[in-house]
Amino acid sequence: NIIWENQDVPYWNRKLRQTFIFIIFGLIVLTSFLLVYAANLAAKSQAKSTNQLLGNDQCDPDVDRLDPNGEEYRCYVNVAVNWTLAYVESATPEEKSCYCGALGYTQIAKDSRLYFGVCKDWLIAVGTGVGIGVAITAIVVTINISCKMILLALAEMEKPLSFSALNASKMIKIFSLQTLNTGFVIFCVNLSPPDWLPLGNVIFLGEFRDAVRGWYVVVGAAIISNMMANAFTPAATNIATMLLGKITRCLCQKRQKHHARLVELYTNPEFDMAARYAELLNTIYITLAYSSGMPVLNCFACLYMFFTFW
């Protein structure tokens, strides 16, 4: 368990390294948080959707916070479902979106006058929102993978005395960053904070005080998308690394000038238990945090463990 080459590093040198790397780690976490936060905020501004209100404060988002003067159109489902198609054909775009959202996909798919007519623009807007959500998930995955590589290198630079300390450093850093990016940035973007929270109106720009009906459409869907990607990405990354190693061996095996180089070429990468354990903790933590309202996360957690094991 002892890392012998690090035993000669002076105590104060090691402490300075740990302090410096902790500061860098904080900057990396802050930068990745801001990148994911900005991406989600930009996606929220581009994906124009109308909140469907039920007229009950316990079920509706806090629309008064973002629109205190009531200048924006507000869609009440109990009103929209009673509209006739003739009325909607001459209605405003906001009323058409409200009507189509109140009907739902099933009813729209049954009537060509809806999906080729009044609901066409709404369906395009919904498809655009889905595409933006997929792009945000890809950004989150890319940031997580990139930062994981950086954090693994930083943990080595701390010069810990044992492999246990090295693995603990790797695990804590990767778990903290990936959990924040995967499950909590989208939550913060759409949170409507309580009035007593300092700087709450500056940091949190959302309209959801609780997990109400609309919360699952916006925040829940994003978390499910992130966890779906999380179920496959680690295994896909490992397979890609394995295939890259095979291709490198095929192309470079005859170019090696020394036996030691050839052995190095055919040596497989080390099984990094700390990074995999951090990703496992990330999956379990987010699943336990949100699965009571979104049970499908348990399925994605099982898929992650299945693909990671095999």
Side-chain angles (χ1 to χ4, degrees):
N1 190 42
I2 297 175
I3 304 179
W4 293 105
E5 58 268 28
N6 293 346
Q7 302 302 309
D8 294 332
V9 178
Y11 174 80
W12 289 111
N13 184 295
R14 184 178 298 107
K15 289 301 178 183
L16 286 174
R17 284 173 175 268
Q18 291 174 351
T19 303
F20 179 69
I21 290 173
F22 178 79
I23 295 173
I24 295 178
F25 168 68
L27 293 175
I28 291 173
V29 171
L30 179 62
T31 303
S32 66
F33 176 85
L34 292 176
L35 287 174
V36 179
Y37 190 95
N40 280 281
L41 202 61
K44 184 179 178 180
S45 65
Q46 291 296 322
K48 298 180 180 178
S49 60
T50 303
N51 280 317
Q52 297 178 2
L53 308 177
L54 300 178
N56 188 325
D57 292 338
Q58 295 181 345
C59 301
D60 294 336
D62 186 11
V63 291
D64 291 331
R65 178 173 181 264
L66 300 182
D67 183 29
N69 298 323
E71 297 176 354
E72 296 183 2
Y73 175 77
R74 298 187 181 184
C75 171
Y76 289 93
V77 176
N78 58 339
V79 176
V81 293
N82 295 319
W83 291 342
T84 63
L85 184 58
Y87 169 78
V88 176
E89 287 176 346
S90 59
T92 63
E94 291 81 7
E95 289 176 328
K96 290 181 180 179
S97 296
C98 179
Y99 176 74
C100 297
L103 285 182
Y105 302 107
T106 303
Q107 294 297 324
I108 294 173
K110 294 178 181 179
D111 193 341
S112 61
R113 294 177 300 172
L114 294 176
Y115 58 77
F116 283 133
V118 296
C119 293
K120 181 178 179 180
D121 293 338
W122 179 79
L123 290 171
I124 293 174
V126 170
T128 302
V130 172
I132 292 174
V134 172
I136 294 301
T137 297
I139 291 173
V140 171
V141 169
T142 303
I143 291 176
N144 283 345
I145 293 175
S146 303
C147 290
K148 183 179 78 170
M149 301 302 178
I150 297 173
L151 294 177
L152 289 174
L154 288 177
E156 298 278 356
M157 293 173 61
E158 290 180 343
K159 300 296 182 181
L161 296 175
S162 64
F163 286 105
S164 296
L166 175 62
N167 290 333
S169 177
K170 291 179 180 179
M171 185 193 68
I172 293 172
K173 290 179 174 62
I174 295 173
F175 164 72
S176 302
L177 184 136
Q178 292 193 352
T179 303
L180 183 69
N181 290 343
T182 305
F184 291 99
V185 174
I186 184 65
F187 178 85
C188 294
V189 170
N190 293 277
L191 176 65
S192 176
D195 296 332
W196 53 263
L197 186 66
L199 298 177
N201 293 327
V202 177
I203 301 174
F204 305 105
L205 305 175
E207 65 271 22
F208 298 107
R209 291 186 181 273
D210 202 350
V212 296
R213 181 172 176 264
W215 184 92
Y216 291 95
V217 178
V218 179
V219 183
I223 293 173
I224 288 174
S225 178
N226 289 343
M227 292 300 289
M228 185 188 303
N230 178 75
F232 301 99
T233 301
T237 303
N238 294 333
I239 292 175
T241 302
M242 180 186 68
L243 293 176
L244 181 62
K246 288 185 175 295
I247 294 173
T248 303
R249 290 168 186 172
C250 291
L251 296 177
C252 302
Q253 60 180 346
K254 296 182 179 180
R255 301 179 183 179
Q256 305 305 314
K257 304 301 182 180
H258 195 276
H259 180 70
R261 296 294 184 186
L262 191 63
V263 171
E264 181 181 348
L265 179 65
Y266 275 84
T267 301
N268 290 321
E270 183 180 356
F271 186 89
D272 199 333
M273 181 65 73
R276 294 170 189 259
Y277 192 68
E279 292 169 344
L280 177 63
L281 283 179
N282 167 47
T283 302
I284 293 174
Y285 190 84
I286 295 178
T287 300
L288 293 178
Y290 294 108
S291 62
S292 59
M294 297 180 289
V296 71
L297 292 179
N298 294 298
C299 299
F300 293 138
C302 291
L303 283 175
Y304 166 82
M305 296 175 191
F306 176 81
F307 288 120
T308 301
F309 179 80
W310 290 106

Short mmCIF file of all heavy atoms in Angstrom, two decimals, residues 101-140:
data_model
loop_
_atom_site.label_atom_id
_atom_site.label_comp_id
_atom_site.label_asym_id
_atom_site.label_seq_id
_atom_site.Cartn_x
_atom_site.Cartn_y
_atom_site.Cartn_z
N GLY A 101 -50.64 22.01 -25.68
CA GLY A 101 -50.06 21.41 -24.49
C GLY A 101 -51.10 20.79 -23.59
O GLY A 101 -50.87 19.75 -22.97
N ALA A 102 -52.28 21.41 -23.53
CA ALA A 102 -53.36 20.86 -22.71
C ALA A 102 -53.91 19.57 -23.31
O ALA A 102 -54.30 18.65 -22.59
CB ALA A 102 -54.48 21.89 -22.57
N LEU A 103 -53.95 19.48 -24.65
CA LEU A 103 -54.45 18.26 -25.28
C LEU A 103 -53.50 17.09 -25.09
O LEU A 103 -53.93 15.97 -24.80
CB LEU A 103 -54.65 18.51 -26.79
CG LEU A 103 -55.87 19.33 -27.21
CD1 LEU A 103 -55.92 19.41 -28.74
CD2 LEU A 103 -57.16 18.73 -26.67
N GLY A 104 -52.21 17.32 -25.27
CA GLY A 104 -51.24 16.24 -25.15
C GLY A 104 -50.95 15.58 -26.48
O GLY A 104 -51.69 15.74 -27.47
N TYR A 105 -49.86 14.82 -26.51
CA TYR A 105 -49.40 14.21 -27.76
C TYR A 105 -50.39 13.20 -28.33
O TYR A 105 -50.57 13.09 -29.54
CB TYR A 105 -48.04 13.52 -27.55
CG TYR A 105 -46.96 14.45 -27.05
CD1 TYR A 105 -46.52 14.38 -25.73
CD2 TYR A 105 -46.39 15.40 -27.89
CE1 TYR A 105 -45.52 15.23 -25.27
CE2 TYR A 105 -45.40 16.25 -27.43
CZ TYR A 105 -44.98 16.17 -26.12
OH TYR A 105 -44.01 17.01 -25.66
N THR A 106 -51.03 12.43 -27.46
CA THR A 106 -51.92 11.37 -27.93
C THR A 106 -53.09 11.94 -28.72
O THR A 106 -53.42 11.45 -29.82
CB THR A 106 -52.45 10.55 -26.74
OG1 THR A 106 -51.35 10.03 -26.00
CG2 THR A 106 -53.31 9.40 -27.22
N GLN A 107 -53.72 12.98 -28.18
CA GLN A 107 -54.86 13.57 -28.88
C GLN A 107 -54.42 14.27 -30.16
O GLN A 107 -55.15 14.24 -31.17
CB GLN A 107 -55.55 14.58 -27.95
CG GLN A 107 -56.21 13.94 -26.73
CD GLN A 107 -57.32 12.98 -27.12
OE1 GLN A 107 -58.05 13.21 -28.08
NE2 GLN A 107 -57.45 11.89 -26.37
N ILE A 108 -53.25 14.89 -30.14
CA ILE A 108 -52.76 15.58 -31.35
C ILE A 108 -52.47 14.58 -32.46
O ILE A 108 -52.78 14.83 -33.64
CB ILE A 108 -51.51 16.40 -31.01
CG1 ILE A 108 -51.86 17.55 -30.07
CG2 ILE A 108 -50.85 16.94 -32.27
CD1 ILE A 108 -50.66 18.32 -29.56
N ALA A 109 -51.91 13.42 -32.10
CA ALA A 109 -51.55 12.43 -33.11
C ALA A 109 -52.77 11.83 -33.80
O ALA A 109 -52.66 11.30 -34.91
CB ALA A 109 -50.73 11.32 -32.46
N LYS A 110 -53.93 11.92 -33.20
CA LYS A 110 -55.15 11.33 -33.78
C LYS A 110 -55.82 12.22 -34.81
O LYS A 110 -56.70 11.76 -35.55
CB LYS A 110 -56.15 11.02 -32.66
CG LYS A 110 -55.70 9.94 -31.69
CD LYS A 110 -56.74 9.73 -30.60
CE LYS A 110 -56.30 8.67 -29.61
NZ LYS A 110 -57.29 8.48 -28.51
N ASP A 111 -55.43 13.48 -34.88
CA ASP A 111 -56.13 14.44 -35.75
C ASP A 111 -55.12 15.19 -36.62
O ASP A 111 -54.27 15.92 -36.11
CB ASP A 111 -56.92 15.43 -34.88
CG ASP A 111 -57.92 16.25 -35.70
OD1 ASP A 111 -57.76 16.33 -36.94
OD2 ASP A 111 -58.85 16.81 -35.08
N SER A 112 -55.21 15.00 -37.92
CA SER A 112 -54.27 15.66 -38.84
C SER A 112 -54.45 17.17 -38.85
O SER A 112 -53.53 17.92 -39.16
CB SER A 112 -54.45 15.11 -40.26
OG SER A 112 -55.77 15.37 -40.72
N ARG A 113 -55.66 17.64 -38.51
CA ARG A 113 -55.89 19.09 -38.44
C ARG A 113 -55.08 19.73 -37.31
O ARG A 113 -54.83 20.94 -37.33
CB ARG A 113 -57.38 19.38 -38.24
CG ARG A 113 -58.27 18.98 -39.40
CD ARG A 113 -59.72 19.24 -39.06
NE ARG A 113 -60.12 18.48 -37.88
CZ ARG A 113 -61.30 18.62 -37.26
NH1 ARG A 113 -62.18 19.52 -37.73
NH2 ARG A 113 -61.60 17.88 -36.22
N LEU A 114 -54.67 18.90 -36.33
CA LEU A 114 -53.88 19.41 -35.22
C LEU A 114 -52.39 19.38 -35.53
O LEU A 114 -51.71 20.39 -35.46
CB LEU A 114 -54.18 18.59 -33.96
CG LEU A 114 -55.60 18.72 -33.39
CD1 LEU A 114 -55.79 17.79 -32.20
CD2 LEU A 114 -55.90 20.15 -32.98
N TYR A 115 -51.87 18.19 -35.91
CA TYR A 115 -50.42 18.11 -36.11
C TYR A 115 -49.94 18.72 -37.41
O TYR A 115 -48.76 19.02 -37.57
CB TYR A 115 -49.90 16.67 -35.95
CG TYR A 115 -50.50 15.64 -36.87
CD1 TYR A 115 -50.11 15.52 -38.20
CD2 TYR A 115 -51.42 14.72 -36.38
CE1 TYR A 115 -50.63 14.55 -39.02
CE2 TYR A 115 -51.96 13.73 -37.20
CZ TYR A 115 -51.56 13.65 -38.51
OH TYR A 115 -52.08 12.69 -39.33
N PHE A 116 -50.85 18.94 -38.39
CA PHE A 116 -50.48 19.68 -39.60
C PHE A 116 -50.99 21.12 -39.56
O PHE A 116 -50.69 21.90 -40.45
CB PHE A 116 -51.04 19.00 -40.85
CG PHE A 116 -50.24 17.78 -41.25
CD1 PHE A 116 -50.89 16.60 -41.57
CD2 PHE A 116 -48.86 17.82 -41.30
CE1 PHE A 116 -50.17 15.48 -41.94
CE2 PHE A 116 -48.13 16.70 -41.68
CZ PHE A 116 -48.79 15.53 -41.99
N GLY A 117 -51.77 21.44 -38.53
CA GLY A 117 -52.39 22.75 -38.47
C GLY A 117 -51.97 23.56 -37.26
O GLY A 117 -50.83 24.04 -37.16
N VAL A 118 -52.88 23.71 -36.30
CA VAL A 118 -52.66 24.64 -35.18
C VAL A 118 -51.52 24.21 -34.26
O VAL A 118 -50.91 25.06 -33.59
CB VAL A 118 -53.97 24.81 -34.37
CG1 VAL A 118 -55.05 25.45 -35.21
CG2 VAL A 118 -54.44 23.47 -33.80
N CYS A 119 -51.23 22.92 -34.23
CA CYS A 119 -50.18 22.43 -33.31
C CYS A 119 -48.84 22.20 -33.98
O CYS A 119 -47.90 21.71 -33.34
CB CYS A 119 -50.64 21.13 -32.64
SG CYS A 119 -52.04 21.34 -31.51
N LYS A 120 -48.73 22.54 -35.25
CA LYS A 120 -47.47 22.29 -35.97
C LYS A 120 -46.32 23.07 -35.35
O LYS A 120 -45.25 22.51 -35.08
CB LYS A 120 -47.64 22.66 -37.44
CG LYS A 120 -46.39 22.41 -38.27
CD LYS A 120 -46.63 22.75 -39.74
CE LYS A 120 -45.37 22.52 -40.56
NZ LYS A 120 -45.59 22.86 -42.00
N ASP A 121 -46.51 24.36 -35.12
CA ASP A 121 -45.45 25.19 -34.53
C ASP A 121 -45.12 24.73 -33.11
O ASP A 121 -43.96 24.78 -32.70
CB ASP A 121 -45.87 26.66 -34.53
CG ASP A 121 -45.98 27.24 -35.93
OD1 ASP A 121 -45.34 26.68 -36.85
OD2 ASP A 121 -46.70 28.24 -36.10
N TRP A 122 -46.14 24.31 -32.38
CA TRP A 122 -45.90 23.83 -31.02
C TRP A 122 -45.05 22.56 -31.03
O TRP A 122 -44.14 22.41 -30.21
CB TRP A 122 -47.24 23.58 -30.33
CG TRP A 122 -47.11 23.06 -28.92
CD1 TRP A 122 -46.84 23.78 -27.80
CD2 TRP A 122 -47.23 21.70 -28.50
NE1 TRP A 122 -46.80 22.96 -26.69
CE2 TRP A 122 -47.03 21.67 -27.10
CE3 TRP A 122 -47.48 20.50 -29.15
CZ2 TRP A 122 -47.08 20.50 -26.35
CZ3 TRP A 122 -47.54 19.33 -28.41
CH2 TRP A 122 -47.34 19.33 -27.04
N LEU A 123 -45.35 21.65 -31.95
CA LEU A 123 -44.57 20.41 -32.05
C LEU A 123 -43.12 20.71 -32.44
O LEU A 123 -42.19 20.07 -31.93
CB LEU A 123 -45.21 19.47 -33.08
CG LEU A 123 -46.55 18.85 -32.67
CD1 LEU A 123 -47.18 18.12 -33.85
CD2 LEU A 123 -46.36 17.90 -31.49
N ILE A 124 -42.93 21.68 -33.33
CA ILE A 124 -41.57 22.07 -33.72
C ILE A 124 -40.83 22.64 -32.52
O ILE A 124 -39.65 22.34 -32.28
CB ILE A 124 -41.60 23.07 -34.88
CG1 ILE A 124 -42.15 22.40 -36.15
CG2 ILE A 124 -40.21 23.65 -35.14
CD1 ILE A 124 -42.36 23.36 -37.30
N ALA A 125 -41.53 23.48 -31.74
CA ALA A 125 -40.90 24.06 -30.55
C ALA A 125 -40.55 22.99 -29.52
O ALA A 125 -39.48 23.04 -28.91
CB ALA A 125 -41.84 25.09 -29.93
N VAL A 126 -41.43 22.01 -29.37
CA VAL A 126 -41.14 20.91 -28.44
C VAL A 126 -39.94 20.10 -28.92
O VAL A 126 -39.06 19.73 -28.13
CB VAL A 126 -42.38 20.01 -28.28
CG1 VAL A 126 -42.03 18.74 -27.51
CG2 VAL A 126 -43.48 20.76 -27.54
N GLY A 127 -39.90 19.81 -30.23
CA GLY A 127 -38.76 19.08 -30.78
C GLY A 127 -37.46 19.84 -30.62
O GLY A 127 -36.41 19.25 -30.31
N THR A 128 -37.52 21.16 -30.79
CA THR A 128 -36.33 21.99 -30.57
C THR A 128 -35.88 21.92 -29.13
O THR A 128 -34.68 21.82 -28.84
CB THR A 128 -36.63 23.45 -30.95
OG1 THR A 128 -37.05 23.51 -32.32
CG2 THR A 128 -35.40 24.32 -30.77
N GLY A 129 -36.83 21.96 -28.21
CA GLY A 129 -36.49 21.85 -26.80
C GLY A 129 -35.84 20.52 -26.47
O GLY A 129 -34.89 20.46 -25.69
N VAL A 130 -36.34 19.44 -27.07
CA VAL A 130 -35.74 18.12 -26.84
C VAL A 130 -34.32 18.08 -27.38
O VAL A 130 -33.40 17.56 -26.73
CB VAL A 130 -36.61 17.02 -27.49
CG1 VAL A 130 -35.89 15.67 -27.44
CG2 VAL A 130 -37.96 16.93 -26.79
N GLY A 131 -34.12 18.65 -28.57
CA GLY A 131 -32.78 18.69 -29.14
C GLY A 131 -31.81 19.48 -28.28
O GLY A 131 -30.66 19.07 -28.09
N ILE A 132 -32.27 20.62 -27.75
CA ILE A 132 -31.43 21.42 -26.87
C ILE A 132 -31.10 20.64 -25.60
O ILE A 132 -29.97 20.67 -25.11
CB ILE A 132 -32.12 22.75 -26.53
CG1 ILE A 132 -32.21 23.63 -27.79
CG2 ILE A 132 -31.38 23.49 -25.43
CD1 ILE A 132 -33.01 24.90 -27.59
N GLY A 133 -32.09 19.90 -25.07
CA GLY A 133 -31.84 19.09 -23.88
C GLY A 133 -30.79 18.02 -24.12
O GLY A 133 -29.93 17.77 -23.26
N VAL A 134 -30.85 17.37 -25.29
CA VAL A 134 -29.85 16.36 -25.63
C VAL A 134 -28.46 16.99 -25.75
O VAL A 134 -27.46 16.42 -25.30
CB VAL A 134 -30.25 15.64 -26.93
CG1 VAL A 134 -29.12 14.73 -27.41
CG2 VAL A 134 -31.53 14.85 -26.74
N ALA A 135 -28.41 18.19 -26.34
CA ALA A 135 -27.13 18.89 -26.46
C ALA A 135 -26.55 19.23 -25.10
O ALA A 135 -25.34 19.10 -24.86
CB ALA A 135 -27.30 20.16 -27.30
N ILE A 136 -27.40 19.65 -24.16
CA ILE A 136 -26.94 19.97 -22.82
C ILE A 136 -26.40 18.72 -22.13
O ILE A 136 -25.38 18.75 -21.44
CB ILE A 136 -28.08 20.60 -22.00
CG1 ILE A 136 -28.47 21.96 -22.58
CG2 ILE A 136 -27.67 20.76 -20.54
CD1 ILE A 136 -27.35 22.96 -22.62
N THR A 137 -27.09 17.59 -22.31
CA THR A 137 -26.61 16.34 -21.75
C THR A 137 -25.23 15.98 -22.30
O THR A 137 -24.34 15.54 -21.56
CB THR A 137 -27.60 15.20 -22.05
OG1 THR A 137 -28.86 15.50 -21.42
CG2 THR A 137 -27.10 13.87 -21.53
N ALA A 138 -25.04 16.17 -23.62
CA ALA A 138 -23.73 15.91 -24.23
C ALA A 138 -22.66 16.82 -23.64
O ALA A 138 -21.52 16.39 -23.41
CB ALA A 138 -23.82 16.08 -25.74
N ILE A 139 -23.02 18.08 -23.38
CA ILE A 139 -22.06 19.01 -22.77
C ILE A 139 -21.68 18.56 -21.38
O ILE A 139 -20.50 18.58 -20.99
CB ILE A 139 -22.66 20.44 -22.75
CG1 ILE A 139 -22.77 20.99 -24.18
CG2 ILE A 139 -21.81 21.37 -21.90
CD1 ILE A 139 -23.50 22.31 -24.26
N VAL A 140 -22.67 18.13 -20.59
CA VAL A 140 -22.41 17.66 -19.23
C VAL A 140 -21.48 16.44 -19.25
O VAL A 140 -20.52 16.35 -18.48
CB VAL A 140 -23.73 17.32 -18.51
CG1 VAL A 140 -23.46 16.63 -17.18
CG2 VAL A 140 -24.54 18.58 -18.28
#
